Amino acid sequence: MQIVETTNEGLKRAYTVTIPAKDIEARIDTEVKKIAPQVKMPGFRPGKVPANLIRKMHGDALHNDALNESLRESVNGLIREKSLRPALQPKVDMTPGYEQGKDAELTVEVEVLPDIEAPSVDGLTLEKLVVPVTDKELDEALAKFAANQKSWKDAPKTKKAADGDQLIIDFVGSIDGVEFEGGKAEGTPLVIGSGQFIPGFEDQLTGVKAGDEKTITVTFPADYQATQLAGKDAQFAITVQSIKVEAETKVDEDFAKTLGLDSLDKLKELVKIQLEQETAGLTRTQMKRQLLDTLAADHDFAVPPTMVEAEFEQIWQQLQAETDREDDPAAAKAEIEAEKDDYKRIAERRVRLGLLLSEIGQANGVDITSQEMSMLIQQAAQQYRPEDRQRFVDYVRNEPMAQAQLRAPLYEDKVVDFLFDKAEVTTREVTREELEAAIEAEESTAEAKPAAKKPAAKKAPAKKAAAKDADEKPAAEKKAPAKKAPAKKAEPKEAEAKPAAAKKAPAKKAAAKK
């Protein structure tokens, strides 16, 4: 293999690589010997087919395989020989006019990672803003939690059902006098006004009393899941077993015990921990932005343009998706277009910080264990249909770039945690509002947004999209490889009560549900 460097400008490199024809032919000879024992041909015993006939039968396929393998090994050999650290996959092209039996010439273009001197991790100082949980906040959270734990008590027999009451009913559904599958249930709870059943069902039960029997007529929606019922009129013969009203839930020892806890104090302890966890994420975001701002201020080096472009495209796609959800999409799109250069600078900052964090991690022995990597792959596989999960796992295990994409967020978090441990941290108590304001201020500084803002339909979507959280991605998070992973399973829509009639489920809450 002959290598000639044709470009060496900044982080860009280009080479011409020549693969001798004899090397390609040697690969073909090796493959012929490998497959010869399995080749069958009339007139020859198994394994005795002459090599020239095997070449004649499978020549094109053997040559293509040998050529592709030669290209792959040549590029890998180039990277090793020149000690290159590619930022993304190299661009490889065959020189036009190649013919079988001649030397193969290819051009390889690659952007390399910059040489970065890992900074000292000593002397870092950070301020940690924490939000203490007040007694008032704890009481409000407990009251809200109790309100969500609805309980019901029997109403007087003379009580007429009204909005918000719970009815316990039996019902039998029929169409043209014929019962339909899944349209019958006993002891079914129904809260009037909940929208739990198809339109018109609950409204017609307003005013009934315990023991009443009533037949109502409703029309199934045209888009009803059970197509055999869609758009049809149905009659439901209903018997009201009882009517219940919501009971007051008191936050006391008995309430705690109904939740399986030993005492009210234990409930308070758990709720307090939950409140603390809600602000812990904000505290980490605020500390991380301080850290990244410090690193960004002290380091300025060239970054691979292709990495910046890939990062910008990711930001831009997210921004455009955000604008589509604005009240005035046109105004929102116009605003982000006016700030396009700012988002390119954000992309460059993210790439630079990602490379810096990666260098710090490598210099200080931060790594992702094989067990952690396996967990990441298995977690990512859950996004796919069950029948595709193993194929996704195999795909990732054989694709280094796909592995890099999965490991990047966890690796970044581990490097950040390492730097947190090294830093001198002072703690200051603030309110949640003050913490959020501090994050917003750091975000604005980090993104170097223009001072003057054009009016838009809403607050600029950019602030809640690409620039939000300033979670700069590490250098390892690169563009996905060309080979496609299995298609992800469709994301479910918001949960809807699905009719038993449509899926032959138990009769409970049957055809009346929507």
Side-chain angles (χ1 to χ4, degrees):
M1 180 178 70
Q2 180 182 358
I3 300 173
V4 177
E5 185 176 74
T6 57
T7 301
N8 188 332
E9 299 175 358
L11 300 177
K12 292 184 179 181
R13 305 286 186 272
Y15 304 88
T16 298
V17 180
T18 303
I19 305 172
K22 62 181 179 63
D23 290 351
I24 300 173
E25 288 298 313
R27 284 185 179 279
I28 296 175
D29 289 339
T30 299
E31 188 61 23
V32 168
K33 291 177 182 178
K34 182 178 177 181
I35 67 173
Q38 289 81 41
V39 175
K40 295 181 180 179
M41 182 179 291
F44 297 92
R45 286 179 298 168
K48 299 298 182 179
V49 179
N52 64 321
L53 291 181
I54 295 176
R55 277 177 168 268
K56 187 175 182 179
M57 289 174 60
H58 305 286
D60 288 343
L62 289 170
H63 176 263
N64 289 337
D65 289 345
L67 180 60
N68 289 333
E69 188 64 18
S70 296
L71 294 178
R72 186 185 66 81
E73 288 198 1
S74 296
V75 173
N76 290 339
L78 165 67
I79 291 172
R80 288 193 302 270
E81 182 174 326
K82 298 297 183 180
S83 299
L84 301 177
R85 295 195 303 159
L88 295 175
Q89 286 280 26
K91 179 183 178 183
V92 181
D93 291 308
M94 284 282 294
T95 300
Y98 169 73
E99 297 178 6
Q100 188 171 337
K102 294 185 177 180
D103 292 349
E105 186 176 273
L106 56 145
T107 59
V108 181
E109 298 177 7
V110 60
E111 282 186 351
V112 297
L113 297 175
D115 293 326
I116 307 169
E117 183 177 350
S120 171
V121 297
D122 298 323
L124 281 173
T125 59
L126 297 171
E127 183 181 45
K128 181 178 182 180
L129 304 183
V130 296
V131 180
V133 177
T134 65
D135 291 341
K136 180 182 178 182
E137 290 171 333
L138 180 58
D139 289 341
E140 289 175 349
L142 285 167
K144 184 177 180 180
F145 177 73
N148 290 331
Q149 305 297 312
K150 283 189 176 182
S151 59
W152 304 91
K153 64 180 180 179
D154 288 332
K157 296 293 185 181
T158 56
K159 162 74 172 171
K160 291 184 178 181
D163 194 55
D165 291 342
Q166 184 188 67
L167 279 60
I168 306 299
I169 61 174
D170 303 335
F171 60 82
V172 178
S174 61
I175 295 177
D176 296 331
V178 180
E179 291 185 23
F180 53 84
E181 186 177 4
K184 182 178 180 179
E186 295 180 353
T188 300
L190 164 63
V191 177
I192 294 180
S194 65
Q196 179 183 0
F197 283 43
I198 60 178
F201 193 102
E202 297 168 17
D203 296 343
Q204 296 182 62
L205 294 179
T206 300
V208 300
K209 296 182 294 185
D212 283 356
E213 295 183 356
K214 184 173 183 178
T215 297
I216 65 173
T217 299
V218 294
T219 301
F220 282 97
D223 58 351
Y224 195 62
Q225 182 177 354
T227 55
Q228 72 275 19
L229 301 176
K232 293 186 178 180
D233 292 336
Q235 293 73 45
F236 285 90
I238 299 169
T239 300
V240 182
Q241 291 186 9
S242 63
I243 297 176
K244 299 177 180 290
V245 293
E246 187 174 351
E248 180 184 359
T249 303
K250 294 182 179 180
V251 181
D252 54 17
E253 295 288 341
D254 290 337
F255 175 64
K257 290 177 180 178
T258 62
L259 299 172
L261 302 175
D262 295 334
S263 64
L264 179 59
D265 287 341
K266 184 62 176 178
L267 175 59
K268 289 182 177 180
E269 177 186 339
L270 293 175
V271 173
K272 183 176 182 179
I273 290 173
Q274 181 179 351
L275 291 174
E276 290 172 339
Q277 289 175 340
E278 288 175 0
T279 56
L282 293 175
T283 294
R284 178 181 173 81
T285 296
Q286 171 262 330
M287 285 185 65
K288 182 177 178 180
R289 287 188 179 168
Q290 278 188 78
L291 173 65
L292 297 180
D293 286 348
T294 300
L295 294 175
D298 294 339
H299 299 85
D300 185 16
F301 49 84
V303 293
T306 51
M307 289 186 73
V308 175
E309 185 61 27
E311 182 64 31
F312 170 75
E313 284 302 319
Q314 185 173 339
I315 292 173
W316 198 245
Q317 289 175 12
Q318 188 176 355
L319 283 168
Q320 290 180 319
E322 291 276 351
T323 60
D324 290 338
R325 294 191 288 270
E326 294 290 320
D327 291 341
D328 187 347
K333 288 181 185 295
E335 180 169 0
I336 65 170
E337 283 287 348
E339 298 176 352
K340 199 167 188 175
D341 289 342
D342 296 308
Y343 292 114
K344 288 182 177 179
R345 285 192 288 272
I346 292 171
E348 182 176 338
R349 168 188 160 95
R350 287 186 176 186
V351 171
R352 182 175 291 109
L353 283 168
L355 293 174
L356 193 56
L357 288 174
S358 179
E359 196 69 31
I360 292 172
Q362 292 178 36
N364 291 277
V366 179
D367 201 4
I368 302 294
T369 66
S370 57
Q371 183 178 5
E372 288 172 330
M373 193 66 215
S374 294
M375 289 180 63
L376 286 173
I377 294 174
Q378 292 299 329
Q379 288 170 359
Q382 298 308 306
Q383 301 175 66
Y384 295 84
R385 296 187 297 267
E387 62 269 24
D388 289 333
R389 288 172 187 169
Q390 186 56 49
R391 188 156 63 95
F392 171 79
V393 170
D394 295 340
Y395 158 77
V396 173
R397 293 195 186 283
N398 292 317
E399 290 288 342
M401 299 289 276
Q403 292 178 37
Q405 285 182 312
L406 283 180
R407 74 189 293 274
L410 177 59
Y411 187 78
E412 177 185 3
D413 282 343
K414 293 187 77 169
V415 176
V416 168
D417 286 338
F418 166 77
L419 292 173
F420 283 169
D421 290 339
K422 287 288 185 180
E424 179 182 339
V425 180
T426 57
T427 301
R428 179 163 63 94
E429 291 187 356
V430 295
T431 65
R432 184 185 180 107
E433 291 73 21
E434 290 172 330
L435 176 56
E436 291 173 343
I439 292 173
E440 181 72 18
E442 289 168 1
E443 177 182 290
S444 299
T445 301
E447 293 161 9
K449 303 292 289 177
K453 301 288 289 180
K454 296 181 181 180
K458 285 185 178 180
K459 186 177 180 181
K463 289 187 177 180
K464 61 184 179 182
K468 188 176 181 181
D469 295 335
D471 283 337
E472 286 76 2
K473 297 173 179 59
E477 191 163 353
K478 301 171 185 174
K479 187 180 294 183
K483 183 179 177 182
K484 291 184 178 179
K488 288 185 181 180
K489 65 184 179 184
E491 293 294 332
K493 296 180 180 179
E494 289 187 13
E496 297 176 351
K498 298 300 181 185
K503 54 185 180 181
K504 298 183 181 179
K508 183 179 180 182
K509 296 186 181 179
K513 282 189 182 180
K514 71 174 182 181

